[in-house]
Amino acid sequence: MGKSGFYPKLAVSNIRKNSRFYLPYLLTCVATVAMFYIMSFIASNPGLQDMQGAGTISAMMGFGTVVIGIFATIILFYTNSFLIKRRKKELGLYNILGMGKRHIAKVLFFETVYVTVISLAGGLLGGILFSKLVFMLLLRLVDFKVTLGFNISLQAIQMTLVLFCAIFLLILLFNLFQIKLSKPIELLYGGNHGEREPKTKWPLVVIGILTLGGGYFLALYIKSPIAAIGMFFIAVILVIIGTYCLFTAGSIAWLKMLRRNKKYYYQPRHFSAVSGMLYRMKQNAAGLASICILCTMVLVMVSTSVCMYIGVEDALNLIYPRNVQIYLYECQDQAYQQMSTIVKEEVAKSGLDAYDMVSFQYYQEEDDWNRSLFIGNKMAEALTGEIPGDNGQDYPPNAYLGFNLPGSDGAPSQLLDAIRTRLTTELAGQYDTYESETRSLMAGNIYSAYGGFLFLGMFLGLLFLLATVLIIYYKQISEGYDDKQRFEIMKKVGMSRAETKATVRSQILTVFFLPLIVAVIHIAFAFKIITKLLAVLSLTDISLFISCTGVTILVFAIIYCLVYMFTAKVYYRIVS
Amino acid sequence: MTLLEVKNIKKIYSTRFGGNKVQALTNVSFSVEQGEYIAIMGESGSGKTTLLNILASLDKPTSGEVVLSGKSIMTISEQQISAFRRDNLGFVFQDFNLLDNFSIEDNIYLPLVLAGKNYDDMKQRLQPIVQQLGICDILNKFPYEVSGGQKQRTAVARALITKPQLVLADEPTGALDSHASDGLLRLFDEINAAGQTILLVTHSVKAASHAQRVLFLRDGEVFHQIYKASQTQEQMYQKISDTLTVIATGGEHHG
């Protein structure tokens, strides 16, 4: 084997030796590739086009593909920056031992090639294997039955290959740029140059408090659900800014306050935990804030989509209290009287057995944003015998007529046609517009929209969860290496194993659960605005949303605890 | 009164499957009197670090015994060993081993905090020590903001604040310039004069010449020892140099 085989070999052994860092990175790569493939497979699946509400679903999946693509780029860059930071010393050593930067670039090139090949091969394989399963899950969720063969989407494969090759190429360029910029001595000490104690940045703390407070205020005091849609995004952005500011500056201010409290600070457990966190906060803060935002996103997305999916039946009943609904807008009293007679005659003619027929007149009020929901409420009033009030308008009220038919297939189109013909001819000029709707027709659309939403929520939730776990893992590991020496010194000065463990635990616990706790607080404040948004989608069952959120938080917390236990173990193994 | 007694210490390092065995200490015995200032010298690989680790209860000997004020430190349980180390031993290391995340003051408090002392008590103990060491005005600074000499004096303060029975110093002048070294050695003389027992492990002839007694370690054994008695420091320096020359050129054992 000549000289040509040296760099590829070195690259392989580098990946092996750094497996503690490389393995999670590779797994992430494989997972994101697989998820991206699956999503684009579904988005481009021809079977989707036959579905009811196919337009909505494929728009959703297209959106999902874009989100996954963007997110994959961010995650992979983030993990890579961890890797390269950790490995600077090793690369610096090569440089000092006489490898030129050109040679290091070669090694990095081969490493990237291997990573690319492994992740694309593994990811596509996994993606293809799971794509059918996931697609079937989606079909089940949107309540659509179709028989599918096992197929592979070449278009999805192509998209995946292009995207991820581009990402890996960018990562390689970024790494090469890093190496090019640095001097060997910096590479050698790249991992650990003396960090200064961070200063308290009061302006940031104030900005953080103001933006977070503003976001919370918006979320709490929004009145109209229509305004809620626009305001929600403003509130989200404010809360994100506030979270970042408070995690970076607020945490330091808080820890410094703890340190000033001598009684609290000078205790074996708090002493090194507080100062350790303070010392590390500069690097930690952004990561913790990101974890917090991700947690919040996962929780909101999963809980709302689950809630929507479960509540879809209720929503349908609310929007369509009757199977068949007919509206005559601005209809004269006389026409309203005839309307029910005509409909009853036509139904009788068709030989169907209509029941629960209800009709009433009503005025649409200006701020009744959701007509269907409004009808639901009016219906309740009409059924309890309340007469819709005449509120002094100078135009006639709208007329509503609804009835149920046996079976769930809705009204045959002949019946509807017949009704429409008679109403439009016989009552011509006595009303403004005619409209009719059948529940079964709309139900398909709603089911597929909500099912698609749930699917997207779960899928993206899974991706965000992966990102969260990854950030936590890398943060703990690299901190473990930094803290190793600290704990060594403390051991010499007289810290026992038990005390080391207790300190480690208190430090990791805080770092770990602070983002989760803040995320739960965010959700508590967002609760009101989210219920408003759900109301726009005709979901008014607040207790259902509460239980969905509760269960989601619980499940998430359990997963989070498992990750905690695992990383704490790895961390402890590193420091002791 | 004998403070520390080291009896027939032997240490063999072996690889995990017992393949390669390296004998670091063959048979070391000596004792340290209360208030004594003793230096242990030897070349790299003579077993100095192993000996120090065993004395510091960071490592256990393969056989033999270490007795500190009548108590064998081998019999102390794993749970109590840290507390024992904290209460009875003070450490000064070559690379200072200060923690970057603590201020100078907090670095000095570290062993007391670990021992669960309250703040007022710690503050009271701190004052006389930092005055003696001349580091009063850097207490609020951080290790990366002060000089090597100041760092080492901080480390000494940390070692002394627990009022240990024995101060173990491992190459304390190793990372200091000559000026700072002289200052530190004078400080050790003062502390010793005040009654503190010091055990110094060093390469430096100058550092060793400050001690009342110098032990020479070679190939895991005490090869020779010399007493200062009434000699001046210069005479002691000369004598140590001569001994080292003899050891280096392969003289016979005459302990």
Side-chain angles (χ1 to χ4, degrees):
Chain A
M1 190 148 251
K3 199 172 179 270
S4 58
F6 173 68
Y7 296 107
K9 264 190 181 168
L10 188 62
V12 171
S13 83
N14 277 346
I15 292 176
R16 274 221 197 109
K17 270 185 301 183
N18 287 301
S19 63
R20 198 173 244 165
F21 294 104
Y22 248 120
L23 201 64
Y25 178 61
L26 273 175
L27 286 178
T28 316
C29 292
V30 169
T32 44
V33 169
M35 288 180 96
F36 184 81
Y37 170 79
I38 292 174
M39 203 42 123
S40 46
F41 166 79
I42 291 173
S44 66
N45 197 296
L48 206 66
Q49 307 312 321
D50 312 330
M51 245 187 245
Q52 238 172 7
T56 331
I57 296 267
S58 61
M60 266 188 202
M61 298 305 139
F63 170 73
T65 317
V66 173
V67 171
I68 292 180
I70 293 172
F71 213 71
T73 319
I74 297 173
I75 297 185
L76 295 187
F77 258 90
Y78 181 83
T79 357
N80 171 68
S81 74
F82 253 109
L83 262 172
I84 202 77
K85 204 166 142 200
R86 274 286 127 197
R87 297 191 53 210
K88 270 193 174 166
K89 189 170 183 169
E90 177 192 334
L91 298 175
L93 195 63
Y94 286 143
N95 201 273
I96 284 165
L97 291 178
M99 245 193 203
K101 282 186 178 166
R102 178 170 274 281
H103 303 117
I104 292 179
K106 257 189 194 167
V107 176
L108 284 180
F109 170 75
F110 280 111
E111 285 183 24
T112 314
V113 168
Y114 292 140
V115 169
T116 311
V117 169
I118 293 172
S119 34
L120 283 176
L124 283 176
L125 196 71
I128 289 166
L129 283 179
F130 281 106
S131 58
K132 198 188 167 192
L133 189 75
V134 176
F135 194 45
M136 269 162 23
L137 178 77
L138 172 67
L139 291 177
R140 218 188 135 75
L141 285 178
V142 304
D143 204 20
F144 187 71
K145 284 163 202 70
V146 70
T147 40
L148 277 171
F150 183 84
N151 60 355
I152 295 168
S153 162
L154 282 177
Q155 193 194 340
I157 290 182
Q158 203 180 358
M159 267 170 77
T160 314
L161 283 177
V162 169
L163 176 75
F164 283 89
C165 285
I167 293 177
F168 286 124
L169 184 68
L170 279 176
I171 285 176
L172 175 65
L173 289 178
F174 172 80
N175 289 348
L176 292 181
F177 192 63
Q178 289 268 307
I179 300 297
K180 188 174 187 291
L181 279 185
S182 53
K183 303 183 179 76
I185 195 79
E186 282 170 6
L187 287 180
L188 203 54
Y189 295 112
N192 51 338
H193 37 77
E195 291 260 346
R196 304 201 153 229
E197 190 188 64
K199 285 199 181 72
T200 316
K201 293 180 187 119
W202 285 110
L204 267 187
V205 177
V206 173
I207 291 173
I209 291 173
L210 286 179
T211 47
L212 193 67
Y216 282 174
F217 180 83
L218 278 184
L220 283 182
Y221 290 96
I222 277 298
K223 289 262 155 52
S224 128
I226 287 292
I229 298 174
M231 282 302 168
F232 185 71
F233 287 101
I234 297 176
V236 165
I237 289 168
L238 284 178
V239 167
I240 289 178
I241 294 172
T243 308
Y244 272 99
C245 288
L246 286 183
F247 266 97
T248 39
S251 60
I252 288 169
W254 184 62
L255 286 169
K256 284 202 169 169
M257 214 177 66
L258 284 185
R259 199 172 61 178
R260 269 195 293 277
N261 180 354
K262 310 272 185 210
K263 277 226 163 61
Y264 177 87
Y265 179 54
Y266 289 107
Q267 279 178 28
R269 189 165 295 185
H270 304 145
F271 192 54
S272 94
V274 169
S275 66
M277 276 193 282
L278 190 54
Y279 180 66
R280 220 29 59 70
M281 214 18 119
K282 212 156 66 182
Q283 314 160 7
N284 263 351
L288 288 183
S290 310
I291 294 175
C292 176
I293 303 276
L294 284 172
C295 286
T296 318
M297 276 156 86
V298 171
L299 291 175
V300 168
M301 231 165 28
V302 173
S303 59
T304 46
S305 55
V306 168
C307 173
M308 281 167 68
Y309 187 70
I310 296 177
V312 66
E313 198 63 47
D314 287 343
L316 271 176
N317 284 336
L318 199 63
I319 305 174
Y320 304 107
R322 292 293 179 270
N323 246 329
V324 180
Q325 310 195 109
I326 296 164
Y327 299 88
L328 290 178
Y329 293 107
E330 296 185 18
C331 166
Q332 316 263 324
D333 284 351
Q334 210 183 350
Y336 170 64
Q337 311 288 346
Q338 291 179 26
M339 174 185 183
S340 32
T341 334
I342 293 171
V343 172
K344 271 179 196 154
E345 282 173 20
E346 285 306 315
V347 173
K349 238 190 258 174
S350 72
L352 286 167
D353 197 12
Y355 59 99
D356 284 349
M357 189 174 289
V358 177
S359 63
F360 55 84
Q361 288 172 287
Y362 68 96
Y363 280 105
Q364 184 99 25
E365 281 144 36
E366 280 302 314
D367 57 347
D368 279 320
W369 38 272
N370 189 332
R371 191 202 61 195
S372 311
L373 207 56
F374 177 75
I375 289 297
N377 292 333
K378 286 286 166 198
M379 163 90 69
E381 286 172 23
L383 288 178
T384 51
E386 279 178 53
I387 300 146
D390 179 351
N391 54 356
Q393 315 273 14
D394 51 5
Y395 54 87
N398 304 331
Y400 167 91
L401 186 144
F403 57 89
N404 286 335
L405 287 171
S408 58
D409 288 339
S413 50
Q414 293 137 296
L415 174 61
L416 282 180
D417 285 343
I419 292 177
R420 195 191 59 214
T421 324
R422 280 199 64 190
L423 285 179
T424 44
T425 50
E426 287 175 33
L427 303 179
Q430 298 184 54
Y431 65 93
D432 190 48
T433 29
Y434 167 90
E435 203 180 302
S436 74
E437 53 195 20
T438 52
R439 172 153 63 179
S440 59
L441 212 65
M442 304 310 282
N445 283 335
I446 290 193
Y447 271 118
S448 61
Y450 286 17
F453 195 73
L454 174 66
F455 176 78
L456 202 62
M458 299 289 235
F459 208 78
L460 293 183
L462 197 68
L463 183 71
F464 290 172
L465 188 67
L466 182 77
T468 314
V469 170
L470 206 70
I471 295 177
I472 292 174
Y473 176 82
Y474 274 114
K475 233 174 53 50
Q476 286 306 123
I477 295 253
S478 63
E479 257 171 51
Y481 282 107
D482 290 346
D483 288 350
K484 190 180 163 68
Q485 206 197 348
R486 278 181 51 212
F487 282 104
E488 206 104 292
I489 294 173
M490 298 220 251
K491 185 178 159 203
K492 283 180 184 161
V493 176
M495 189 183 233
S496 66
R497 285 174 71 88
E499 282 162 340
T500 308
K501 252 189 173 157
T503 307
V504 167
R505 195 175 306 133
S506 114
Q507 200 171 327
I508 302 184
L509 269 180
T510 316
V511 167
F512 235 79
F513 287 97
L514 190 67
L516 185 63
I517 291 167
V518 176
V520 172
I521 295 174
H522 283 348
I523 288 182
F525 275 97
F527 192 79
K528 206 173 155 193
I529 201 168
I530 294 176
T531 53
K532 285 244 161 72
L533 288 176
L534 285 175
V536 176
L537 298 165
S538 311
L539 288 160
T540 48
D541 192 348
I542 290 180
S543 62
L544 174 70
F545 181 55
I546 291 178
S547 43
C548 283
T549 312
V551 170
T552 311
I553 291 175
L554 193 73
V555 170
F556 189 78
I558 289 171
I559 297 175
Y560 207 80
C561 285
L562 289 177
V563 177
Y564 161 73
M565 287 196 287
F566 175 69
T567 45
K569 213 184 230 169
V570 176
Y571 178 90
Y572 189 72
R573 207 182 301 141
I574 292 170
V575 298
S576 64
Chain B
M1 192 190 119
T2 305
L3 177 70
L4 177 77
E5 219 173 325
V6 178
K7 296 180 194 162
N8 305 102
I9 291 285
K10 191 187 220 182
K11 177 74 189 180
I12 298 169
Y13 289 108
S14 51
T15 48
R16 192 183 288 177
F17 303 108
N20 261 343
K21 285 188 176 169
V22 176
Q23 187 150 26
L25 296 174
T26 337
N27 185 9
V28 175
S29 301
F30 65 92
S31 58
V32 180
E33 297 298 310
Q34 175 82 50
E36 207 179 359
Y37 184 175
I38 180 169
I40 295 176
M41 292 197 80
E43 295 189 350
S44 303
S46 60
K48 283 181 313 206
T49 311
T50 308
L51 179 61
L52 196 78
N53 281 341
I54 289 172
L55 295 182
S57 67
L58 291 167
D59 202 352
K60 285 193 186 305
T62 313
S63 70
E65 200 180 17
V66 179
V67 180
L68 187 73
S69 13
K71 191 174 183 194
S72 168
I73 65 173
M74 273 76 214
T75 60
I76 300 169
S77 72
E78 187 63 36
Q79 284 89 29
Q80 288 168 332
I81 200 84
S82 299
F84 170 83
R85 199 181 299 144
R86 198 162 61 206
D87 298 339
N88 297 292
L89 303 172
F91 295 94
V92 181
F93 304 95
Q94 174 174 4
D95 45 4
F96 323 128
N97 276 357
L98 298 181
L99 292 164
D100 265 345
N101 54 327
F102 287 122
S103 67
I104 296 294
E105 183 178 2
D106 288 347
N107 261 296
I108 300 173
Y109 286 149
L110 184 61
L112 291 184
V113 174
L114 292 177
K117 293 271 186 296
N118 75 33
Y119 178 65
D120 297 332
D121 200 22
M122 298 194 299
K123 203 161 176 68
Q124 235 168 21
R125 283 204 199 186
L126 181 77
Q127 275 316 315
I129 292 173
V130 294
Q131 260 158 26
Q132 188 188 5
L133 297 176
I135 48 175
C136 296
D137 43 348
I138 57 163
L139 285 180
N140 287 323
K141 293 199 166 164
F142 282 83
Y144 48 80
E145 296 173 312
V146 303
S147 72
Q150 286 170 321
K151 277 188 209 171
Q152 198 55 298
R153 272 180 280 161
T154 306
V156 173
R158 184 179 65 187
L160 293 179
I161 200 157
T162 56
K163 299 178 182 147
Q165 299 200 49
L166 178 66
V167 167
L168 296 171
D170 184 7
E171 279 314 342
T173 59
L176 299 180
D177 61 64
S178 66
H179 183 69
S181 295
D182 289 344
L184 186 77
L185 291 171
R186 264 201 305 280
L187 201 64
F188 274 21
D189 289 344
E190 281 172 35
I191 297 164
N192 177 243
Q196 178 67 54
T197 317
I198 299 173
L199 191 148
L200 178 78
V201 170
T202 186
H203 257 117
S204 155
V205 177
K206 193 178 197 177
S209 69
H210 280 256
Q212 293 159 3
R213 177 157 62 112
V214 181
L215 293 179
F216 294 90
L217 219 56
R218 191 175 79 166
D219 300 333
E221 276 183 291
V222 177
F223 175 76
H224 185 61
Q225 59 176 322
I226 49 181
Y227 287 86
K228 189 175 193 179
S230 58
Q231 298 173 82
T232 63
Q233 201 166 308
E234 283 72 28
Q235 286 169 318
M236 188 68 174
Y237 189 100
Q238 195 53 52
K239 225 170 162 183
I240 294 169
S241 301
D242 293 346
T243 313
L244 287 176
T245 315
V246 173
I247 292 173
T249 51
E252 286 306 305
H253 188 290
H254 50 100

